[in-house]
Amino acid sequence: TELPVRDLAAFLASPPMACLRARLGLALRGADEPASEGLPIELGGLDRWAIGERVLGQLAAGAAPSDVAAAERVRGQLPPGALGDGDLRQIGTEATSLMAQATALRDGPARQVAVRIDLASGIRLVGSVPDVHGQSIVRATYSRSKPAQQLRVWPELLASASAGKKGGW
């Protein structure tokens, strides 16, 4: 029996959601929800997070901060004019700081570690672990680290350490 690392990580982060997804094919949240047609006046927490994730991803891909800001203004999820400028400036500052911190932790270029480990129970752990830099997994996300996120990366770290070079993880 094979167990993908991604499935183990998802189960540790949220057993009920992982079971719903694996057994019934259900997801409680998704990107399929229609966009609001109203004009935003202030950003809610989820809107701020979504914009921050996009900004962080674009900065990580090498986009210029001015291009990222222009794209977010055109997207239409920010409050209009000066109302949105302050939010965008704050999100941009935080995302730039997160990118600098992640860059400082990276040791070498990103790579994926292939995982194929036979466990004593007869289960084979398979998959790949992305975002490996040297002997560390380095990911930047626009959110505070929560226990579920830490549990999600734990099996990836163990699998990488078992599949890769020994020591230093």
Side-chain angles (χ1 to χ4, degrees), residues 62-76:
S66 59
D67 293 341
V68 173
E72 284 304 323
R73 283 189 186 95
V74 171
R75 191 176 305 278

Side-chain angles (χ1 to χ4, degrees), residues 68-142:
V68 173
E72 284 304 323
R73 283 189 186 95
V74 171
R75 191 176 305 278
Q77 290 184 321
L78 287 167
L83 292 173
D85 288 344
D87 288 328
L88 186 57
R89 197 170 18 262
Q90 181 183 9
I91 291 169
T93 300
E94 291 169 353
T96 302
S97 173
L98 287 169
M99 274 308 305
Q101 291 172 39
T103 300
L105 294 172
R106 292 181 176 144
D107 178 21
R111 62 186 171 92
Q112 287 194 9
V113 173
V115 175
R116 187 177 177 94
I117 303 168
D118 292 319
L119 302 175
S121 64
I123 294 174
R124 176 176 290 152
L125 191 60
V126 296
S128 63
V129 178
D131 305 316
V132 176
H133 296 267
Q135 297 293 98
S136 301
I137 298 172
V138 181
R139 291 189 188 125
T141 183
Y142 192 83

Side-chain angles (χ1 to χ4, degrees), residues 3-13 111-117 125-139 148-164 169:
L3 174 64
V5 175
R6 181 181 309 150
D7 291 351
L8 177 60
F11 176 80
L12 288 173
R111 62 186 171 92
Q112 287 194 9
V113 173
V115 175
R116 187 177 177 94
I117 303 168
L125 191 60
V126 296
S128 63
V129 178
D131 305 316
V132 176
H133 296 267
Q135 297 293 98
S136 301
I137 298 172
V138 181
R139 291 189 188 125
Q149 291 168 322
Q150 294 168 4
L151 279 173
R152 186 178 299 273
V153 79
W154 180 75
E156 292 179 339
L157 182 62
L158 289 177
S160 297
S162 297
W169 284 86

Side-chain angles (χ1 to χ4, degrees), residues 47-60:
D47 294 327
R48 180 177 294 280
W49 172 83
I51 293 168
E53 277 292 305
R54 275 195 309 273
V55 168
L56 189 59
Q58 291 172 8
L59 291 175

